[in-house]
Amino acid sequence: MRILVAVEPQDFRKGIDGLCRICREVLQADPLGGAVFVFRSRRGTSLRVLTYDGRAFWLCHMRLSQGRLRYWPERKGSAGCELLAHQLQVLLAGGDPEATRAAPFWRPIAMAGAM
């Protein structure tokens, strides 16, 4: 599953249609394609996750009870970045997904006896 994060903060007065517009125009991705899109509020106190399951849109809103998000991905010259599933989990828990020490997503497998 593809997970795209909008780097710039968004106005959370926007609903599903407004976030879909950001997916198309800013992130250059189709919101009906099954990807998961993650957005941050301007104040850094809330996150929204948007996805389409082939039948309906799902919008999840997470608001911190106190404080602000400590980390948010930044990409100079890019409107978004892509995360792996375990990195999204770390981000939602308030951590830095780039600091995780998980195994690489893809690695070649050496065949036994191959030269």
Side-chain angles (χ1 to χ4, degrees):
M1 178 176 284
R2 192 167 179 212
I3 302 169
L4 295 169
V5 177
V7 173
E8 293 297 317
Q10 301 300 319
D11 181 357
F12 274 12
R13 293 176 291 182
K14 295 177 183 174
I16 291 172
D17 294 331
L19 294 175
C20 286
R21 191 174 312 110
I22 292 168
C23 294
R24 285 187 197 98
E25 296 173 3
V26 177
L27 298 175
Q28 303 294 311
D30 181 13
L32 299 172
V36 173
F37 299 93
V38 184
F39 306 93
R40 180 186 78 132
S41 68
R42 291 181 191 218
R43 292 179 49 208
T45 57
S46 299
L47 293 177
R48 282 196 174 172
V49 178
L50 177 72
T51 191
Y52 183 75
D53 69 1
R55 187 174 62 101
F57 279 101
W58 288 81
L59 180 63
C60 177
H61 184 99
M62 181 182 94
R63 184 179 70 197
L64 298 175
S65 57
Q66 59 182 334
R68 296 176 189 254
L69 294 165
R70 292 185 200 139
Y71 174 83
W72 192 252
E74 294 181 11
R75 298 285 190 267
K76 293 181 181 177
S78 177
C81 71
E82 198 161 344
L83 294 180
L84 301 174
H86 73 276
Q87 291 175 315
L88 176 60
Q89 186 175 7
V90 170
L91 181 67
L92 293 175
D96 178 354
E98 294 176 358
T100 61
R101 297 184 189 270
F105 182 64
W106 179 86
R107 55 185 169 228
I109 299 173
M111 295 178 59
M115 295 184 155

